[in-house]
Every structure is written in structure tokens, then in C-alpha cells.
Amino acid sequence: EPEVTQTPSHQVTQMGQEVILRCVPISNHLYFYWYRQILGQKVEFLVSFYNNEISEKSEIFDDQFSVERPDGSNFTLKIRSTKLEDSAMYFCASSVGTRGEKLFFGSGTQLSVL
Amino acid sequence: GIQVEQSPPDLILQEGANSTLRCNFSDSVNNLQWFHQNPWGQLINLFYIPSGTKQNGRLSATTVATERYSLLYISSSQTTDSGVYFCAVELSGTYKYIFGTGTRLKVLA
């Protein structure tokens, strides 16, 4: 069965450094998302992306965050200058459409900011 | 913004028992999905269910959109059912799912 793949599975970085989290959505999917989950808490929406532009973003998704689809398969999340509070599990998700379609999640990237 | 509350927050069951998990939401929604987060952290889609009832093996779900709640039924629970169950709702005119507070389930052998 097709799946969303994320790399790396774990990323450790120093505060202030830039990180790029990578995702390969399911190939025929058109809508892409990033979510994050701080340890033990609920899953929080960051951003949705369709047709090479952001559809919607949350208050968490400030100027330090950006997303890109650099080619036909990858979808990336960049954090320019990481803070301690950015430590979380970051999930990528994709769906064929937004209406009547299941959302499929990758296995996540655990980001630790020291 | 919309509030998505789940109950109970924690649940411990003996293997073989049945359970009902509830998701209440404070506003009208277009879509609703249920997810299982297994002990390794993976989010697995269980149901897409904006209204009505669906069944998949030992799991079934019912959403009553007009009354703003959804129920997930687990029958004959197994230890592999352990984890956190989330409902997630999509508001009309938005392109995001808002996750609920979750129910942490532990099934004992």
C-alpha cells in the first residue's frame, strides 16, 4: 500500500540552526500538510499546501517556518532559526482531495533542539 | 475557534472487553476522521466518517453531525489496540483538520 515517507526519523540540532524536514507524499495526492505534536500533547495543524502555494496556516507557522515542493515528489518544511520550543514530532500528511478523502500520515520526524 | 473534546481521556481495559470513545465538537464540520496513534507514534487512519455509521472488523464509528458528536466503538479489545485515539474535524471552508484532545487506551492481557 502506498505510504507517506519522512526523513530523517530523528534530527538533533542546536538552537538557532536551520533544519529541513523532508516528506514524500503519496504519488497521486494533491494536498499536503504539516502537523506537529509536542510530547504527550495533541496533534497541532501547521500548514496546508495545494497547487504550489499555502492554502492555510496556523498561528504557530510564523516567519521562521516555510514550506516548499521543490520537485514533483518532495515536500519540505524548513525552520530557519530553531528554538527550544520547536522540539516536537513533525508529521507530514497528504490526501487526494480535501472533500471526502482520507488523510494519510507519515511516521514523523522527531526534532530535538538543544 | 472550534473546540474538539474527547472522552474519556484515559481508559484501561482487560483484553476482550468492549469500549466506546466519544468526540464532541463545538461547531458544524464538513468532515471527521478517526485516527489511532500506536505506541510507536504512527498515526493510522481508521475511519473517514462525516455522518452515519461505518464498520471495519472489530471497530465501528458513528457520527451524528447535527448533534456534533462522533463515537468510536471497539469490540473484543486486543493488546494491539493500545495507544491514543484521536478524532479530527475539518471546518467548512477550511483546508485543515483540527485534532481532538485524544483518548489514551491501554488494553491489558
Side-chain angles (χ1 to χ4, degrees), chain A residues 31 33 35 37 40-43 45 48 55-57 89 91 98-107, chain B residues 30-31 33 35 37 41-43 45-48 86 90-91 93-101 104:
Chain A
Y31 290 81
Y33 307 82
Y35 284 79
Q37 185 180 31
Q41 299 186 22
K42 66 177 181 178
V43 181
F45 169 78
S48 57
S55 302
E56 192 155 355
K57 59 184 180 179
M89 178 74 87
F91 291 103
T98 59
R99 301 291 177 256
E101 304 294 344
K102 280 188 173 183
L103 199 57
F104 291 89
F105 280 82
S107 298
Chain B
N30 258 6
N31 295 311
Q33 304 195 30
F35 294 88
Q37 187 168 39
Q42 289 181 297
L43 285 162
N45 194 304
L46 298 175
F47 292 103
Y48 166 78
F86 291 102
E90 184 184 47
L91 293 176
T94 71
Y95 296 92
K96 63 184 179 185
Y97 274 86
I98 302 299
F99 276 69
T101 49
R104 185 174 301 274

Side-chain angles (χ1 to χ4, degrees), chain B residues 38-86:
Chain B
N38 65 23
W40 296 270
Q42 289 181 297
L43 285 162
I44 310 297
N45 194 304
L46 298 175
F47 292 103
Y48 166 78
I49 185 163
S51 64
T53 297
K54 287 187 178 179
Q55 179 149 11
N56 184 2
R58 296 182 296 103
L59 302 182
S60 64
T62 295
T63 297
V64 184
T66 53
E67 296 186 23
R68 301 183 183 171
Y69 72 89
S70 183
L71 303 173
L72 179 69
Y73 306 96
I74 305 174
S75 64
S76 304
S77 56
Q78 300 175 357
T79 55
T80 51
D81 295 331
S82 296
V84 184
Y85 289 81
F86 291 102

Side-chain angles (χ1 to χ4, degrees), chain B residues 3-23:
Chain B
Q3 303 297 313
V4 186
E5 301 288 335
Q6 292 183 240
S7 60
D10 295 280
L11 186 59
I12 300 175
L13 299 174
Q14 288 293 330
E15 203 167 26
N18 303 329
S19 61
T20 301
L21 282 55
R22 187 177 180 103
C23 170

